[in-house]
Amino acid sequence: MQQLKTDFTSREDMAAYIQQEFPFLESPGGLSPYLGGRKAGLARLEEFKIEQYGKERNFLNGEVSRLSPYISRGCLELEEVRQWALQHPLSKSVESFVSELAWRGFFHLVYQEEGTGILADLEPPKVSLGKHQITLPEDIARGETGLPSMDTLIGMLRETGYLHNHARMYLASYVVHFRKVSWRSGADWMYALLIDGDFASNHLSWQWVASTFSNKPYIFNRENLERYGGAVLPGDPRQGDPFDASYEALAERLFGGEYRPEPRRSSGNYQ
Amino acid sequence: MTESLIWVNEDGINPEHKMFRDYPDAPRVYIFDVSYLQQWRISHHRLQFIYESLLEIPHISIYKGETVAVLDSLLQEYNVREVITTATPNHIITGWQDEILKQADLVTYPQIYPVQDSSSPRRFARYWRQSDRFWLTP
């Protein structure tokens, strides 16, 4: 048993100490922009423009709370954030934000009920996942897939320890459905890197994407990626673009007819 | 005389939590569990975020080691038989809590949700239909 220091002159000083005491940790170098602590969480809550959330939340550059690190680590309690939200006049936007908090409560309920069961398929998949590889390919772990959009998201995840929710879904879908990697491998990888890593929200979201905790697989196409991520992500080469197809064509290519999307499917919202 | 020990876990790092007011004299501790960090390959950013959050808790003592073994030693060092902590569904933390229960009494502060029903309806849309009025009521 070793007692650790509690006096530091700066975040950089702390980072160096952590590296010395825990040399096995994955470190991209540099500091995350997310400063830990309740004070920083309350400051973020003050800045959050909840009125804009409903319309912008699916856009990677839209107004989202970025509170999940603070809620997941308990610096802010879910209930106090909910009460804060409900101090605003009830609107679609406020309702939308509260329903996202409810997702967290819902995931925790399932985790409480299932325990470690959430680390394996909760339901039979709705498309074949049995032959997916069980180790995460190195090019994904390193952010060197050759697809600038996905590499940018992986870079953000590694460098900041945070990703917008829609970005998490894009990455999860890319890993599971486009690259045919088991959702569990992807979920463990993301859990490790996220500041807000939480088995319930993380692993159940991956299962939702994979279709082992939902009625269908989650996939996205070029049009969706451009619409919601275009302001943040670099374009991908047009030649061989794996996302550049209609949902019907993508489903045929990825699932061979096991799943047929409804026509005009658009947003990446959870349903 | 100190009778209790507050054990903070990574899902409940709130310096304003009620347990600190209820047990103002209890020593406060946090343990970075090396096996957990290594097994799950936890990133530097997460650990630093936790560390920064912990430093807002006055008089916190932070340790590195195996959680249960460190807590056992601290129980003896402080001569206490009661551990105060916060609830989490995290199976790793609840596993440690179960181990601690063999050595000491455990007081666990629950997480607060607007809905008390603890059965999961398996689909969020169904859950939301059943409970939206609770979530949307202050």
Side-chain angles (χ1 to χ4, degrees):
Chain A
M1 154 169 123
Q2 179 196 342
Q3 191 162 355
L4 298 176
K5 265 177 67 168
T6 51
D7 57 323
F8 297 97
T9 55
S10 64
R11 295 186 78 201
E12 288 80 3
D13 181 27
M14 178 188 278
Y17 180 70
I18 289 172
Q19 206 53 45
Q20 174 195 313
E21 290 296 331
F22 302 93
F24 51 84
L25 297 180
E26 157 138 7
S27 175
L31 295 168
S32 167
Y34 289 86
L35 174 65
R38 180 172 171 80
K39 279 183 199 149
L42 288 171
R44 196 165 283 278
L45 195 61
E46 284 294 308
E47 290 164 8
F48 174 41
K49 299 179 185 71
I50 194 170
E51 299 80 10
Q52 291 171 223
Y53 177 79
K55 283 191 177 154
E56 297 184 16
R57 70 189 186 94
N58 281 320
F59 293 87
L60 298 195
N61 63 338
E63 181 67 15
V64 292
S65 75
R66 298 178 190 273
L67 287 169
S68 63
Y70 301 96
I71 298 173
S72 296
R73 299 286 73 87
C75 306
L76 300 180
E77 294 189 21
L78 185 78
E79 179 61 7
E80 73 176 313
V81 177
R82 186 180 79 90
Q83 293 292 349
W84 172 88
L86 293 175
Q87 284 172 12
H88 297 78
L90 197 57
S91 62
K92 287 275 180 206
S93 201
V94 170
E95 187 172 328
S96 172
F97 179 68
V98 173
S99 81
E100 289 302 310
L101 296 177
W103 265 101
R104 189 178 292 268
F106 168 71
F107 282 145
H108 277 195
L109 261 186
V110 176
Y111 190 17
Q112 255 155 9
E113 204 162 278
E114 298 289 338
T116 53
I118 69 161
L119 302 178
D121 290 0
L122 278 178
E123 300 167 15
K126 312 322 178 271
V127 291
S128 300
L129 302 176
K131 291 184 180 159
H132 281 31
Q133 68 180 95
I134 54 170
T135 51
L136 190 79
E138 271 299 305
D139 67 287
I140 296 177
R142 288 200 302 265
E144 295 170 359
T145 67
L147 291 168
S149 60
M150 296 300 110
D151 291 343
T152 298
L153 295 181
I154 295 166
M156 285 178 185
L157 172 63
R158 296 180 64 195
E159 284 156 27
T160 69
Y162 178 84
L163 271 185
H164 185 292
N165 186 53
H166 208 163
R168 297 180 195 204
M169 290 165 58
Y170 285 143
L171 256 190
S173 179
Y174 170 68
V175 170
V176 175
H177 298 307
F178 290 85
R179 295 293 301 273
K180 307 292 182 194
V181 176
S182 79
W183 69 260
R184 174 68 199 272
S185 303
D188 286 2
W189 166 67
M190 197 175 270
Y191 172 80
L193 292 171
L194 286 169
I195 288 171
D196 58 35
D198 165 334
F199 287 112
S201 296
N202 183 65
H203 282 62
L204 289 171
S205 291
W206 276 79
Q207 294 223 42
W208 187 92
V209 166
S211 77
T212 53
F213 186 52
S214 58
N215 298 331
K216 59 192 178 191
Y218 169 74
I219 54 173
F220 64 93
N221 67 4
R222 167 63 47 200
E223 186 187 352
N224 186 285
L225 194 62
E226 293 290 334
R227 179 175 178 206
Y228 293 105
V232 172
L233 300 174
D236 292 323
R238 296 177 72 97
Q239 186 92 25
D241 180 352
F243 313 128
D244 192 14
S246 67
Y247 281 114
E248 291 77 7
L250 269 184
E252 184 60 34
R253 189 205 320 151
L254 297 173
F255 311 120
E258 289 182 305
Y259 158 64
R260 293 187 203 289
E262 291 159 25
R264 295 176 56 89
R265 183 169 180 274
S266 58
S267 81
N269 295 346
Y270 284 119
Q271 289 165 16
Chain B
M1 189 189 116
T2 297
E3 292 173 344
S4 309
L5 177 78
I6 296 179
W7 166 39
V8 179
N9 67 56
E10 74 167 46
D11 294 344
I13 313 174
N14 178 2
E16 293 180 23
H17 195 281
K18 187 172 181 292
M19 69 180 172
F20 295 116
R21 294 195 296 278
D22 291 348
Y23 297 85
D25 300 324
R28 300 97 185 265
V29 305
Y30 184 89
I31 302 144
F32 282 111
D33 191 281
V34 174
S35 295
Y36 161 70
L37 295 171
Q38 287 183 311
Q39 183 191 345
W40 289 92
R41 307 181 67 184
I42 302 302
S43 69
H44 180 113
H45 285 332
R46 171 121 119 250
L47 197 141
Q48 177 140 357
F49 188 90
I50 291 170
Y51 216 134
E52 288 169 346
S53 302
L54 288 170
L55 294 186
E56 288 187 351
I57 299 173
H59 311 300
I60 186 94
S61 298
I62 303 172
Y63 296 90
K64 175 173 99 169
E66 305 296 318
T67 296
V68 175
V70 173
L71 273 175
D72 275 348
S73 301
L74 292 171
L75 287 172
Q76 288 176 35
E77 187 180 322
Y78 289 109
N79 193 25
V80 296
R81 298 279 304 156
E82 186 178 61
V83 174
I84 316 298
T85 194
T86 51
T88 164
N90 182 315
H91 67 277
I92 295 168
I93 298 173
T94 56
W96 293 329
Q97 290 173 346
D98 291 344
E99 285 299 310
I100 297 307
L101 257 178
K102 295 175 188 168
Q103 320 291 331
D105 296 331
L106 194 67
V107 176
T108 309
Y109 281 71
Q111 292 183 311
I112 301 168
Y113 294 109
V115 188
Q116 296 310 319
D117 182 359
S118 60
S119 62
S120 121
R122 286 311 189 104
R123 287 289 182 268
F124 180 75
R126 221 175 291 149
Y127 174 72
W128 187 241
R129 274 198 302 277
Q130 287 170 7
S131 60
D132 61 347
R133 63 188 186 282
F134 298 108
W135 281 90
L136 293 169
T137 304

